[in-house]
Amino acid sequence: MNPIIANLLTEPVGVSHYVVVGAFMFTCGVLCMATKRNALGILMGIEMVLNGANLNFIAFGSRYLRNDANSLGLDGQLISLFVIVLAAAEAAVALAIVLNFYNNTGSIDVDGADQLRG
Amino acid sequence: MDPSWLPKLLALAWLTPLASFVLILFFGKHMGSHGKGAGLLATTAIVFSAVCSFTALFGVWLPNHPLQDASHHSAQHEEVDSHAGVSVPIRLVAAEAEGYGHAGHATGEHGEHANNAAPKYITADWYELGVFGKLKLTIGYYIDALTVAMFCMVSLIASCVHIYALGYMHDELHDFTDPEVTLTSGENLKRPGRYYRFFQYLSLFCFSMFGIVIAGNIAMVFVFWELVGICSYFLIGFYIERKSASTAANKAFIVNRVGDFGMLIGLMALWSSLGTFSFGDMTNEQGEVTEQGMFSLLRTEENDYHLQPTAGMVFEGDRFPECNCATGGSGDTASAGEASGSGELHAKPPTKNHAGQWLLLVAGVGIFCGCVGKSAQFPLLTWLPDAMEGPTPVSALVHSATMVAAGVYLVGRFFPVLSPEALLVIAYTGCITLFVAATIAITATDIKRVLAYSTISQLGYMMLALGLGGWIAGMFHLITHAFFKSLLFMCSGSVIHGVHTNDMTEMGGLRKKMPITAYTMLVGCLAIIGAGVPLMGIGFSGYYSKDAIIEQAFSFGVSNPRHWILQWAPVAGAFITAFYMFRLWYMTFAGKPRNQERYDHAHESPRVMTAPLVLLAVFALGVGWAFPGTNLKVTNLLEQARPVGTLVTSHGELLPALVIPNEHDAHNFLVPAGLWAFGTAASGLLLATMIYLWDFGLRPEELKRTFKPLHSWLWNKWYFDEIYEWIFIKPTKMFSGWISWIDRNIFDSIIHSSAAICKGGSKVVDAIVDRTLVDGTVNTLARGTWDTGLWLRKIQTGSLRQYVMFIAAGTILLFVAISFVQNI
Amino acid sequence: MDAIYWPSFFFLLFSFIACAFALGVLLAKNIVRMAFYLVLSLSSTAGLFFLAGADFVGAMQLMIYVGGTLVLLIFGVMLTSQERFIEMRTSSGEWVVAFFIGLMLFFTLGKAAFGVAAWSGLDRETAEAVQVEQTVTPLAMGLLGARVDKLDEPDAAKQEGMAGYLFQFEIVSVHLLVVLVGAAYLARAKRKASGASAGGS
Amino acid sequence: MAGLINDFLNWLPLGWPVAHDSWLGLLIAGVVHIALILQLVAVSALVFIWLERKISGRIQDRLGPTRVGGKFGWLQTLADGLKLLTKEDLTPDGADKMLFKIAPYVSFCASIAAFIAIPFAGGVYPWIAQHLNTGVFFVLAVMGLEVFGVILAGYSSASKWSLFGAMREAAQVVSYEVPLGMCVVVPVLIAGSLDMVVIGDRQAGLFTNWLVFHDPFTFVTACVYFTCAMASVNRAPFDLAEAESELVAGFHTEYSGLRWSFFFMAEYGSMFAVSILAAILFFGGWHGPVPITSMLGLSGEVGSIGWGLAQAIGLANVLLKGTIGVCVMIWVRWTLPRMRIDQVMTTCLKYCTPIAAAMFLGATLWQYKLPGKNFFGILDLPEAAYEVSEGWQREDASDVGGEDRIADVGANRTHGNNTKGWR
C-alpha cells in the first residue's frame, strides 16, 4: 500500500485532517447558500457552515489531536457550545423571517427577494 | 542477434514502404478492380516493417541492452542527493560511445552507470550525397533506444491504420459520388474511386516518417521532414474536388513552410558554427572518433555535459580575451551562471560575451520553429483542425500519432543542443498551446475537430514537458499519446462511418448500436485524461505519462517561482481535457439519440475496422505498464536513450535566474502532482458528467446562453483565423489596392485635398476648441459619473445568493493578497 | 505494516460519511432529501466530536442541531407542500461559477490546513498515552465561571483572563429568550384584514 | 471486554497468536453487544405485543388471543410476524422511493441505539454496552431521532393522511422534548452526574433512597416525566400520529409487511427504553426495594460468582421495572380516550412545562436548603442516604489550586456530606 494511505490508517490523525473536513463542510455550506433558491436550503447551508467552523474549534481544543501550549483546550468546546446554541437561535429567527416572507409573497424563492436591487 | 543487424533490420523496415509506394505508383491501377490489391500490398508492406521493427527491438536491442529499472535508480539517486544536502551535479562517468562506435563492438557494458552515462547509439553514413567544401550531405543513421521505440510505435500504429483503412475506404473501390461537391449542373460529382492512390500515399508517408526517425543528421531529417509534409498535403487534399479540402491542404502546406523557414535559419546557424550536421560521433573500425557530432561538440565530457558554446560560435573572440570561449577555458560558464544567479553579477567584469549563447538560442529556437509548424503549436496551430478534411485513417495516422509527433520527436532528439533559454521558449509555447487548444475543444461540436484540438493540446503537453527538462516525460507521453489518440481517431472514424456525419449534435445514445466502438473509445478517453488510482501507480497509459509531465512541471515551478504559470497550466489542462473528452463521449454514445433517423441507420463497423480498435485499446490501456515480472517497460527503454543534458541541473546563461531542474528531482513531487492530476481530472470528469449525463439541472444550452461571449470566443477558436486574415492577408491585399488607388487618383486627390484641407481646418478648429475641449470636458465628466454610477449599480443585484458568492470570492482574494504580502 | 490505529479508521469513516452527505445536501434537488442528508451529515460530525474527545458537545450536537434541523424539516414540508417549491432550479451558469469558486475556496482552506507543522498530529505513543478526561463537569464549571481545568496555570496574567464564561452564558441565555419572543412575534399569524391586503398586492 | 476476548482467543489453540489489543476481540465484543441489544428489543416487542393484546382483552372483558402456541396464545405475535414477513412490500406510485424505503430503518435504528448507553446493572463494572459519562443526554438525543423516520415516512408516502400524521408527530415530539428534558435534569441535578451508572448507584439501599421518594418535587417530576415520555413515544392518549379514526393509520398508512413491522418494533423498543430510563432515573434502577444482595452478602470481586449473581438480580430488576412501565402505558392506552391535537399541545405547554419548571426549581431549593437529605431523611431515618458525586470536589476549600483532579467515577464515592464541592 502507498505510505500516505497506510499512514492515515496507522498513525493518529491531526488537526489538519479535521480542518480539511471542516473546510469541506464549510465550502459545501457556502455553495449551498449560493446555489439554492429555496430559503430553507440557504438555512441548511448556514447550518453546514457553522458546523464546519465548530469542527475546527473542537479540533483545536482536542487533546488527542494536538497536545501543546497553543491548544485551545476546554475553550474550544465551550465556544462550540455557544456556536451550537446561537445556531439554534439563528435558525429560529431565520425561520420566522422565512415564514413572514412567505406570508407576504406566497413564495420562498429568495430570488424574488431582490427589492433592494440597485 | 549481433548488434550489426540493427541498421540492416531498420533499413529494411524503412525501405519496404518505399518499395510498396513505387509498385503502386506504377501498377496500382491494375491491381484488382480500382486497385484493391494495392491496399493489400501496402498493408503487407507495413506489417512487414512492423515485424522488422519488433525484431529489431526484441531480437537485437533488448538482448544487447538489458533494461534497468529506472525508478530503482532514481531512488538511489535521491538518497545520494539527500545525503549531500544540496543537489550536486553528478559527475558523469565516461561515455561509452567511443568504445561502442560501429556495429559489432557491443560489449554489453551497462549496469550501474547506465543512468548517468551518455546514451548508447550506433551511427554511420550509408551513402554520401555530395561534399561541397566543408558541407557534407549524407544519408546515414543514428540508432538508439528512442529510434527503436519510435520505429515500433510508428509501424504498429501504421499497421493498424492500414488494416482499418482497408475497411474504411471501401467506398473508393467503385465509382464514387461525392455528396459534398455540387457541380454547376446541380448534380453531385461522380468520379472513379481512388483506393490505390490512398494507399500509395500512405506508403510514401510511412517511408518518410521512418526516414525522419532513423536519420543520422539534421540535413537528412530536413529532407524527410519535407517529404512528410508533402504526404500530408496529398492526404489532406485527398478529396481534392471539395473546396474545403483543397483549401485545407494548401493551408497546411503553407503554414508548415512558415515554420520550415525558421528551421532553415536554425540549420544554417548550427552548420556555420559547428561545421557538421551529424548527431553522433562517427567512428572508424578501430573505434576511434573520426568526426565529432553536434552533441559531443556542445556538451563535452570535460564540462560535465553542461551545454557550452564551442569556439566557432563566439564572434570576435579577440576583442574579449577574458571570455571563456575556448574549449580549454574552464572558467566554466555553468559556475559563472550560478555565481551571477546568486547576485554577484555586478562584481564580474562587464566583458562577458554572450554571443555564443545567443547563437545557440537562435539555433534552438530556429529548429523549434520547424517543430512549431509540424506539431501545430501556437501560433501555427490553425492548420491541424482544418486538416481533418482528410479521410479519418489519415487523421489517425498522420495528424495525431506520427507526423505531428515528429516535431516533438525532433525537439527530443535535439535536446542536447537546446539551451535553457530555448527550452523556456519551448515551454511557454507548449503551455500556451495546450491551454488555447484545450479551451477551443470545449465548444467544438465536430467530433474530429474536438480530437484535433485535443491533439494540439496534448502536443503542447509534450512540448511543455520537454521545455521544462522532462525528457522522459515528454517522450513517454509522445508514445502513449500516439496509441490512444490513434485509437480515438479510429473510433471517431468508426462512428462517422456508421452515422455518416461528423456533427456530435446529431449523435447520442450510440452506445447500444456500436458497443465495440463505444467501449474502445471509452478506454481511449480514460487513457487521455490519465485515469488511474492516485498514488497506487495503477492506471491507463496516459496516467503515467501525464503524471510524469505534471511532476516535472511541479519540479520546475518550485525551482522557478517566477514561471509559476508553467507549473499550473498543465494542471488546468488536465481538468479541461477530462471535461471535453467526456463531453465528447457522452454526447456521442450516452443519453438519448438527438437525431432519430441517423440513430436508426447507425450500425457497428465491420470487423476489419473494429479489430484494430481492440488491439489499440489494449495498447492504450497497457503501454505504460511493465511487462509482468520483468523490467520491460517503455520508460525503461527510453531511459537508455536519455540525452546527457537531462540529468544535470542547468542554469540559464542569458537569464541567470532560470533553472532547468534535473529530471530525477521530479520524483520528489510524486505525491502532490499525482493528487493534483487526479483531482483536476476527476473534477473535470465530474463536471462533464453532471452537464451531459445526469439530468442534474446543468443544461448545455443554458450554459451557452449564460456565457455567450466566452462561448463565441471559443467557438471562433480565439479568432485565430480572423486575426491572421487581418494581420497577414488583408494588409497584403490592401497594400496592393492602395498602390493602384494612388496611381489612378494621385492628381485628383492633390487638388481635392487642398480644398478639403481648408474646409476641414476650420471644422477641426470648431470641433477641437469649441465642441471637444469646452463641451467635451464638461460632458465627459458628467457622463463618467453617470456611467460609473450605472456600472456600480449592477453589483447591487439584490440577490442573496450572489452576495454569498461575492463574500466567498472576496475571502479567496483576501487570502491570495495576504499570501502575496507575506511572501514579500 | 503497522497495526491499524482504530480512531483514525473511525475518523476516516465518519469524515467520509459527513463529507459525502454534505455533498448530498449541496446536490440534492428535493428540500426534504436535503434535510435528510443534512441530518446524516451532522450526526456523523457528532461522531467526529466524540472521536476528538468532546463527548458533551457531540451529544449537544445530536440534540440541538439535529433537533433544530428537525424543525427546519417540518417547515420545509409545510411551506413547500406545493409542487412548485419542492424543486427550484438554479441556472447552470450560476452552478458553474459556484463550482469554481467553491473549488478555489476549498483548495485555499485545504492548503492552509496543511500549512502548519504543529497540526499534523501526534505520534502513536503520545496519542495512546492521552488520558480520557471528564468533560461535563469542567464544561459546566466553565459556564458557571470557574475554570477548574486550568487551576494550575502558572502565569498570573493568564489566570486573570480565564474567569470563565458566566457572563457570556448569561448573555446567551437572555439572547435566546429575546430570540424566542422575537421569532414568535415575527411569525405570528396575520390578521384577516391585513392578510387579504397582502394577498392582493 | 475486547482484551478479555483476545486473551481467551490467544489461549485457544488457534495456531496463531492474538495480541491483547487485536481488532478481532473488538469485533467480537461489538457483535456480542449488538446481538444482545437486538434480541432484547426484538423479544421484548414480541412479549409486549402479546401482553398488549391480553391486557386490552381483559380490560374490555374479553379473552384476547387464546389459540396459537397453547394455553395463553403466547405465540400469537410470532404468527403475526410470519404473516407480515410474507406480505407484499408495496411502494406507492408517487412516493419518494428512497426516503420511503429508508424511513422504517431510521426509526428502528434510533430506537435501538438508545439501548447502547443504558446500563442494565451497575457497580464498578456495570453491564452496559458503552459507558458514556453523558449517558442520559445521549439517550434523550438518540431517541429524539426516532421522529425523523416518522416524518420521512409521512412525507415520502405521498399521501395526505401520512403527511398529517407526520406533522402532528413532529409538532408533538418537538414540544414534549422541553418538559421531558427538564424532568430528566432533576435526577441529574440530585445525583450530580449525567452518567446513568452514577445516578442508579446513587439510589442503592432501601427504596427510600429512590429518587422518586427523594423529595416531593421529584415525586411530581416522575409523574410528569412518565406523561411526557408517553407523549414522546406516541402512545395513547397521545397517539395523534396514527389516529385511525381520522387519519386511517397516520404516518404508516402506506406501509405493509416487514417495513411496517419495523415501525412497530421501533415503537415498542422506545416504550421499553423510556420505561427503563424512568426506572433508572427515579425508581432505583437495578436496586430492588430492599437491598437483598447486600443483605445476602452477594457483592464481591468483579468476576466472582457472587458478583455475577448480584448483577443478574440487578438486571432482573431493571427489566421488571421496565416491563411494569410498559404495562402502565398499555393500561393507560386502553382506558383513556385519545386527545385532540390542541389538547395535546395544551397539556404540554400549559401544564407539563410549567410544572416541570416549578419542580426543577423546587428540587434545586431542596438541594440548597437540605443538602444530602431525602424526604425520609428529614424524618431522620438512620444512614439512609449517601452522596454520590462525580467530578470535582475539594478536600479542603482553603487549598486553592491544590489537589484538584479528575476523579474516577466509581472510586470517588464518599459517604457523608459533600457540601464543600463546587456549586
Side-chain angles (χ1 to χ4, degrees):
Chain A
M1 208 189 282
N2 185 283
I4 285 210
I5 295 172
N7 272 348
L8 260 185
L9 277 177
T10 56
E11 286 297 317
V13 294
V15 174
S16 296
H17 302 81
Y18 267 78
V19 173
V20 166
V21 177
F24 190 85
M25 295 204 70
F26 182 86
T27 312
C28 279
V30 169
L31 291 192
C32 215
M33 285 195 259
T35 55
K36 302 286 180 198
R37 282 169 61 199
N38 194 326
L40 295 167
I42 291 182
L43 277 185
M44 293 184 199
I46 296 174
E47 299 282 338
M48 277 209 287
V49 165
L50 291 173
N51 199 46
N54 251 354
L55 207 50
N56 285 10
F57 278 124
I58 292 291
F60 285 126
S62 171
R63 299 173 43 180
Y64 297 92
L65 309 177
R66 175 187 191 190
N67 209 353
D68 57 22
N70 292 325
S71 168
L72 267 183
L74 211 58
D75 295 285
Q77 296 189 25
L78 280 164
I79 295 172
S80 58
L81 272 182
F82 282 121
V83 171
I84 290 177
V85 171
L86 287 180
E90 161 264 315
V93 174
L95 278 174
I97 293 174
V98 170
L99 206 63
N100 229 3
F101 178 58
Y102 180 73
N103 281 340
N104 284 335
T105 62
S107 156
I108 52 168
D109 182 355
V110 290
D111 281 5
D114 57 353
Q115 284 88 353
L116 284 179
R117 182 183 48 220
Chain B
M1 264 188 283
D2 192 273
S4 62
W5 278 90
L6 209 49
K8 293 173 191 159
L9 274 172
L10 292 187
L12 198 57
W14 171 36
L15 294 174
T16 318
L18 178 64
S20 154
F21 165 70
V22 173
L23 280 176
I24 300 175
L25 178 65
F26 289 114
F27 310 110
K29 215 162 189 177
H30 310 291
M31 295 175 173
S33 71
H34 289 90
K36 188 165 188 178
L40 290 176
L41 176 64
T43 312
T44 318
I46 191 66
V47 170
F48 180 73
S49 292
V51 171
C52 290
S53 309
F54 276 92
T55 315
L57 174 64
F58 289 104
V60 185
W61 184 265
L62 288 179
N64 288 306
H65 308 83
L67 294 174
Q68 300 294 308
D69 193 354
S71 54
H72 175 64
H73 274 279
S74 67
Q76 280 184 348
H77 180 85
E78 278 167 17
E79 268 174 31
V80 170
D81 262 5
S82 60
H83 286 313
V86 288
S87 174
V88 265
I90 303 272
R91 180 79 197 176
L92 299 172
V93 298
E96 289 141 314
E98 294 92 334
Y100 198 66
H102 239 331
H105 291 277
T107 53
E109 207 175 82
H110 46 260
E112 67 270 25
H113 299 317
N115 245 348
N116 299 341
K120 277 167 285 193
Y121 59 89
I122 313 174
T123 183
D125 287 342
W126 271 312
Y127 179 70
E128 208 162 86
L129 287 172
V131 183
F132 312 99
K134 249 181 98 183
L135 177 62
K136 193 170 87 177
L137 296 178
T138 57
I139 299 288
Y141 58 85
Y142 178 93
I143 297 173
D144 62 357
L146 178 63
T147 314
V148 181
M150 287 292 289
F151 253 88
C152 291
M153 183 273 278
V154 172
S155 61
L156 181 65
I157 291 177
S159 304
C160 289
V161 169
H162 273 74
I163 295 168
Y164 177 85
L166 287 178
Y168 190 88
M169 299 303 290
H170 72 88
D171 279 349
E172 295 284 343
L173 278 174
H174 40 75
D175 283 356
F176 182 72
T177 309
D178 198 329
E180 298 186 26
V181 181
T182 315
L183 299 176
T184 41
S185 59
E187 294 168 358
N188 283 339
L189 174 81
K190 198 161 184 185
R191 59 170 173 79
R194 294 192 290 233
Y195 194 71
Y196 63 94
R197 207 185 281 174
F198 180 77
F199 283 96
Q200 171 189 334
Y201 293 149
L202 275 190
S203 286
L204 181 60
F205 168 76
C206 292
F207 164 69
S208 323
M209 185 68 205
F210 286 143
I212 293 181
V213 177
I214 202 171
N217 55 63
I218 187 74
M220 179 174 164
V221 167
F222 187 70
V223 171
F224 285 96
W225 191 261
E226 297 303 316
L227 261 179
V228 161
I230 196 72
C231 290
S232 167
Y233 171 78
F234 287 144
L235 287 167
I236 296 170
F238 186 72
Y239 300 114
I240 194 73
E241 294 86 359
R242 298 181 188 169
K243 181 87 171 72
S244 55
S246 63
T247 316
N250 276 326
K251 188 171 178 182
F253 204 67
I254 294 168
V255 170
N256 264 307
R257 291 292 76 68
V258 177
D260 291 343
F261 182 67
M263 188 167 174
L264 271 176
I265 293 176
L267 277 185
M268 286 187 256
L270 270 181
W271 183 76
S272 60
S273 53
L274 292 177
T276 179
F277 279 139
S278 303
F279 294 131
D281 297 343
M282 296 291 169
T283 51
N284 60 14
E285 293 294 330
Q286 282 74 44
E288 294 156 351
V289 179
T290 54
E291 185 188 338
Q292 279 197 305
M294 288 189 290
F295 298 166
S296 56
L297 277 173
L298 283 169
R299 290 182 186 259
T300 54
E301 188 196 332
E302 299 83 48
N303 197 21
D304 280 351
Y305 296 107
H306 279 295
L307 186 66
Q308 192 182 24
T310 58
M313 296 186 94
V314 182
F315 309 117
E316 301 165 346
D318 305 329
R319 271 207 269 156
F320 301 98
E322 303 93 323
C323 94
N324 39 30
C325 50
T327 40
S330 277
D332 207 356
T333 39
S335 67
E338 277 164 22
S340 55
S342 56
E344 295 172 23
L345 189 64
H346 302 297
K348 289 263 170 189
T351 52
K352 206 157 154 52
N353 188 345
H354 286 305
Q357 290 290 342
W358 278 109
L359 193 60
L360 273 178
L361 181 60
V362 169
V365 173
I367 297 289
F368 178 62
C369 277
C371 304
V372 165
K374 196 108 303 186
S375 289
Q377 297 292 294
F378 174 83
L380 300 181
L381 51 78
T382 53
W383 69 269
L384 185 56
D386 289 354
M388 295 301 125
E389 290 295 336
T392 305
V394 172
S395 310
L397 179 62
V398 181
H399 299 130
S400 69
T402 55
M403 181 189 94
V404 290
V408 182
Y409 168 78
L410 188 62
V411 173
R413 175 57 86 209
F414 239 72
F415 200 83
V417 181
L418 299 172
S419 63
E421 292 80 12
L423 287 179
L424 189 68
V425 173
I426 293 173
Y428 267 106
T429 313
C431 168
I432 296 171
T433 311
L434 93 87
F435 187 74
V436 169
T439 50
I440 297 177
I442 293 174
T443 55
T445 55
D446 182 323
I447 185 167
K448 277 178 74 178
R449 276 180 190 255
V450 175
L451 290 176
Y453 282 113
S454 149
T455 306
I456 299 176
S457 170
Q458 298 298 317
L459 291 169
Y461 260 109
M462 301 171 206
M463 288 295 187
L464 176 70
L466 289 171
L468 301 179
W471 192 85
I472 294 282
M475 287 293 130
F476 185 33
H477 197 57
L478 166 65
I479 286 176
T480 56
H481 170 260
F483 283 107
F484 54 67
K485 188 47 69 64
S486 57
L487 168 66
L488 286 169
F489 261 110
M490 284 157 75
C491 289
S492 76
S494 174
V495 171
I496 296 168
H497 193 256
V499 193
H500 298 293
T501 178
N502 284 8
D503 196 351
M504 288 196 291
T505 53
E506 299 199 358
M507 301 176 187
L510 291 173
R511 191 178 68 238
K512 298 190 189 73
K513 287 279 187 171
M514 23 193 13
I516 302 178
T517 309
Y519 291 111
T520 46
M521 192 150 191
L522 183 61
V523 171
C525 289
L526 286 171
I528 196 172
I529 70 170
V533 188
L535 309 178
M536 290 282 197
I538 306 165
F540 288 80
S541 57
Y543 163 73
Y544 301 97
S545 50
K546 192 166 280 187
D547 269 21
I549 293 178
I550 294 179
E551 278 164 31
Q552 183 67 27
F554 272 56
S555 169
F556 183 85
V558 168
S559 327
N560 302 279
R562 188 187 294 175
H563 302 292
W564 57 273
I565 197 162
L566 295 178
Q567 178 183 0
W568 296 107
V571 175
F575 172 79
I576 308 177
T577 307
F579 178 76
Y580 68 70
M581 283 319 293
F582 273 83
R583 168 180 178 268
L584 181 148
W585 199 83
Y586 290 138
M587 280 184 85
T588 312
F589 293 111
K592 294 199 179 63
R594 296 189 187 76
N595 186 328
Q596 195 60 40
E597 194 189 348
R598 289 203 191 275
Y599 179 76
D600 291 338
H601 290 113
H603 57 83
E604 181 63 285
S605 303
R607 204 162 293 165
V608 69
M609 285 168 69
T610 51
L613 295 187
V614 176
L615 179 65
L616 280 178
V618 171
F619 274 96
L621 176 64
V623 78
W625 297 347
F627 196 78
T630 64
N631 281 335
L632 189 51
K633 192 171 164 187
V634 177
T635 40
N636 289 348
L637 184 61
L638 289 176
E639 195 73 39
Q640 293 185 337
R642 178 192 280 286
V644 286
T646 53
L647 274 187
V648 291
T649 306
S650 39
H651 298 267
E653 189 78 3
L654 303 174
L655 301 170
L658 179 66
V659 181
I660 304 289
N662 181 335
E663 190 171 2
H664 273 169
D665 290 348
H667 296 291
N668 300 340
F669 300 90
L670 187 71
V671 172
L675 286 178
W676 272 101
F678 178 78
T680 46
S683 30
L685 175 57
L686 182 71
L687 189 61
T689 313
M690 289 203 297
I691 295 182
Y692 292 97
L693 187 63
W694 295 340
D695 180 24
F696 165 75
L698 289 176
R699 308 218 169 113
E701 300 80 36
E702 217 175 275
L703 284 177
K704 206 194 277 183
R705 261 203 314 282
T706 320
F707 299 110
K708 184 74 190 156
L710 188 60
H711 180 263
S712 51
W713 169 258
L714 295 178
W715 179 255
N716 290 307
K717 303 157 233 163
W718 290 47
Y719 297 101
F720 268 119
D721 283 335
E722 284 76 3
I723 291 169
Y724 290 162
E725 174 89 16
W726 273 99
I727 294 183
F728 298 118
I729 303 171
K730 281 270 170 66
T732 318
K733 284 186 178 170
M734 271 164 74
F735 186 64
S736 46
W738 284 345
I739 301 287
S740 72
W741 183 84
I742 289 168
D743 207 26
R744 264 185 277 122
N745 302 305
I746 188 132
F747 297 113
D748 283 1
S749 58
I750 288 173
I751 295 163
H752 283 308
S753 55
S754 59
I757 284 169
C758 289
K759 211 173 149 189
S762 53
K763 271 191 180 169
V764 165
V765 169
D766 174 48
I768 290 178
V769 176
D770 196 32
R771 297 194 193 166
T772 316
L773 270 184
V774 182
D775 292 358
T777 314
V778 179
N779 284 343
T780 315
L781 264 177
R783 168 65 57 184
T785 319
W786 176 255
D787 283 348
T788 316
L790 275 185
W791 183 77
L792 283 176
R793 206 179 99 169
K794 282 181 192 158
I795 300 175
Q796 194 77 14
T797 55
S799 164
L800 198 60
R801 298 183 298 113
Q802 284 179 9
Y803 290 170
V804 173
M805 290 319 311
F806 293 157
I807 295 173
T811 313
I812 297 167
L813 284 181
L814 209 62
F815 232 95
V816 172
I818 288 174
S819 63
F820 266 116
V821 170
Q822 276 184 341
N823 284 348
I824 292 169
Chain C
M1 208 184 91
D2 295 337
I4 290 177
Y5 187 65
W6 286 99
S8 292
F9 170 78
F10 283 110
F11 167 78
L12 286 183
L13 182 73
F14 280 130
S15 57
F16 177 74
I17 297 175
C19 292
F21 282 110
L23 208 58
V25 176
L26 177 59
L27 298 184
K29 285 183 282 191
N30 183 320
I31 185 78
V32 181
R33 279 202 185 189
M34 276 170 61
F36 178 58
Y37 294 150
L38 183 63
V39 168
L40 294 183
S41 182
L42 296 182
S43 308
S44 350
T45 317
L48 289 177
F49 289 176
F50 284 124
L51 272 182
D55 46 1
F56 184 72
V57 183
M60 277 288 272
Q61 164 100 352
L62 273 184
M63 194 143 176
I64 296 186
Y65 244 144
V66 177
T69 323
L70 174 71
V71 181
L72 266 182
L73 183 75
I74 301 164
F75 271 77
V77 177
M78 266 188 343
L79 290 181
T80 59
S81 51
Q82 291 143 297
E83 278 297 314
R84 61 194 170 110
F85 293 143
I86 289 191
E87 292 180 12
M88 292 201 284
R89 287 191 59 242
T90 313
S91 76
S92 309
E94 281 174 299
W95 268 105
V96 171
V97 171
F99 177 83
F100 280 107
I101 288 198
L103 216 61
M104 282 194 288
L105 191 60
F106 180 60
F107 279 120
T108 316
L109 293 175
K111 202 170 154 55
F114 283 103
V116 180
W119 293 358
S120 59
L122 307 173
D123 56 23
R124 196 164 170 160
E125 287 76 31
T126 322
E128 276 169 351
V130 173
Q131 295 289 322
V132 180
E133 68 172 352
Q134 308 286 342
T135 58
V136 185
T137 315
L139 272 181
M141 300 312 286
L143 285 179
L144 292 181
R147 294 302 301 275
V148 288
D149 57 326
K150 288 195 177 170
L151 287 175
D152 45 359
E153 171 69 55
D155 190 342
K158 276 191 181 172
Q159 264 197 339
E160 285 288 312
M162 53 176 214
Y165 288 81
L166 181 61
F167 185 55
Q168 289 88 332
F169 187 60
E170 283 305 318
I171 291 180
V172 166
S173 310
V174 174
H175 176 87
L176 269 183
L177 185 66
V178 172
V179 157
L180 281 179
V181 174
Y185 174 75
L186 268 178
R188 76 196 187 286
K190 284 270 182 293
R191 302 277 178 280
K192 273 272 152 56
S194 63
S197 69
S201 62
Chain D
M1 179 103 180
L4 277 178
I5 293 176
N6 275 325
D7 292 345
F8 177 67
L9 287 176
N10 199 23
W11 175 76
L12 285 180
L14 289 176
W16 70 88
V18 181
H20 181 75
D21 55 350
S22 163
W23 55 272
L24 201 60
L26 267 180
L27 188 70
I28 293 176
V31 168
V32 167
H33 284 137
I34 292 168
L36 281 174
I37 290 176
L38 268 179
Q39 71 81 23
L40 177 72
V41 175
V43 171
S44 65
L46 279 186
V47 173
F48 292 148
I49 292 172
W50 174 78
L51 212 58
E52 174 133 34
R53 293 173 168 216
K54 285 309 265 189
I55 294 179
S56 67
R58 294 303 160 130
I59 288 174
Q60 295 171 347
D61 208 8
R62 304 184 274 115
L63 285 177
T66 52
R67 302 219 179 121
V68 188
K71 209 169 178 189
F72 302 111
W74 58 278
L75 278 183
Q76 181 66 40
T77 323
L78 210 58
D80 285 350
L82 282 178
K83 182 199 77 176
L84 284 173
L85 273 180
T86 53
K87 271 178 117 172
E88 188 186 353
D89 187 22
L90 288 171
T91 310
D93 227 14
D96 187 332
K97 302 255 183 321
M98 192 266 273
L99 293 183
F100 186 83
K101 287 189 174 152
I102 219 166
Y105 303 116
V106 173
S107 274
F108 187 62
C109 288
S111 166
I112 283 188
F115 283 90
I116 290 177
I118 293 183
F120 292 95
V124 185
Y125 192 85
W127 285 5
I128 180 170
Q130 182 61 48
H131 192 164
L132 296 177
N133 63 355
T134 50
V136 179
F137 210 21
F138 179 82
V139 171
L140 278 189
V142 168
M143 297 239 305
L145 290 180
E146 191 195 340
V147 70
F148 259 107
V150 174
I151 295 178
L152 290 179
Y155 166 75
S156 64
S157 295
S159 153
K160 282 193 176 59
W161 306 130
S162 304
L163 191 61
F164 271 130
M167 296 307 299
R168 283 179 177 186
E169 159 105 9
Q172 182 180 330
V173 169
V174 169
S175 312
Y176 271 93
E177 248 174 34
V178 179
L180 193 69
M182 280 184 164
C183 293
V184 167
V185 166
V186 171
V188 169
L189 174 88
I190 294 169
S193 171
L194 283 168
D195 190 337
M196 292 216 276
V197 177
V198 175
I199 298 178
D201 280 337
R202 167 71 177 70
Q203 309 174 49
L206 272 178
F207 67 93
T208 50
N209 278 352
W210 291 2
L211 286 182
V212 65
F213 301 127
H214 182 268
D215 57 63
F217 306 107
T218 50
F219 188 81
V220 180
T221 307
C223 301
V224 175
Y225 169 82
F226 204 74
T227 314
C228 296
M230 267 201 293
S232 72
V233 299
N234 273 313
R235 286 292 294 184
F238 303 107
D239 60 343
L240 276 299
E242 43 191 308
E244 63 268 11
S245 49
E246 319 150 41
L247 297 182
V248 188
F251 66 90
H252 58 63
T253 307
E254 304 291 344
Y255 282 87
S256 67
L258 200 60
R259 290 183 204 286
W260 181 83
S261 66
F262 268 114
F263 274 127
F264 236 70
M265 297 233 273
E267 181 177 340
Y268 280 95
S270 333
M271 277 164 69
F272 200 34
V274 291
S275 298
I276 291 181
L277 198 60
I280 293 175
L281 292 181
F282 294 104
F283 295 100
W286 42 90
H287 299 290
V290 182
I292 313 173
T293 50
S294 52
M295 286 175 180
L296 295 179
L298 275 182
S299 52
E301 287 277 308
V302 170
S304 68
I305 294 177
W307 171 80
L309 260 177
Q311 295 289 80
I313 290 172
L315 170 72
N317 257 316
V318 169
L319 293 184
L320 186 69
K321 287 172 185 170
T323 311
I324 291 173
V326 173
C327 287
V328 172
M329 287 186 181
I330 294 172
W331 172 32
V332 170
R333 173 176 176 184
W334 294 101
T335 44
L336 290 182
R338 179 181 299 122
M339 295 165 124
R340 282 199 322 264
I341 182 73
D342 61 319
Q343 290 169 332
V344 171
M345 302 308 279
T346 309
T347 310
C348 169
L349 296 174
K350 290 196 181 159
Y351 297 102
C352 289
T353 311
I355 292 175
M359 292 308 118
F360 174 70
L361 273 180
T364 316
L365 279 176
W366 184 281
Q367 280 291 91
Y368 184 64
K369 282 290 170 198
L370 299 165
K373 301 260 166 130
N374 69 11
F375 185 65
F376 297 103
I378 54 172
L379 304 179
D380 231 7
L381 288 178
E383 280 300 309
Y386 64 88
E387 279 285 322
V388 178
S389 170
E390 173 227 19
W392 303 93
Q393 46 188 311
R394 292 186 162 188
E395 266 93 11
D396 187 354
S398 62
D399 182 14
V400 179
E403 296 294 315
D404 299 293
R405 63 196 150 74
I406 306 165
D408 186 281
V409 174
N412 194 34
R413 195 180 296 149
T414 50
H415 288 266
N417 231 336
N418 194 26
T419 48
K420 284 180 188 166
W422 284 90
R423 89 156 34 100

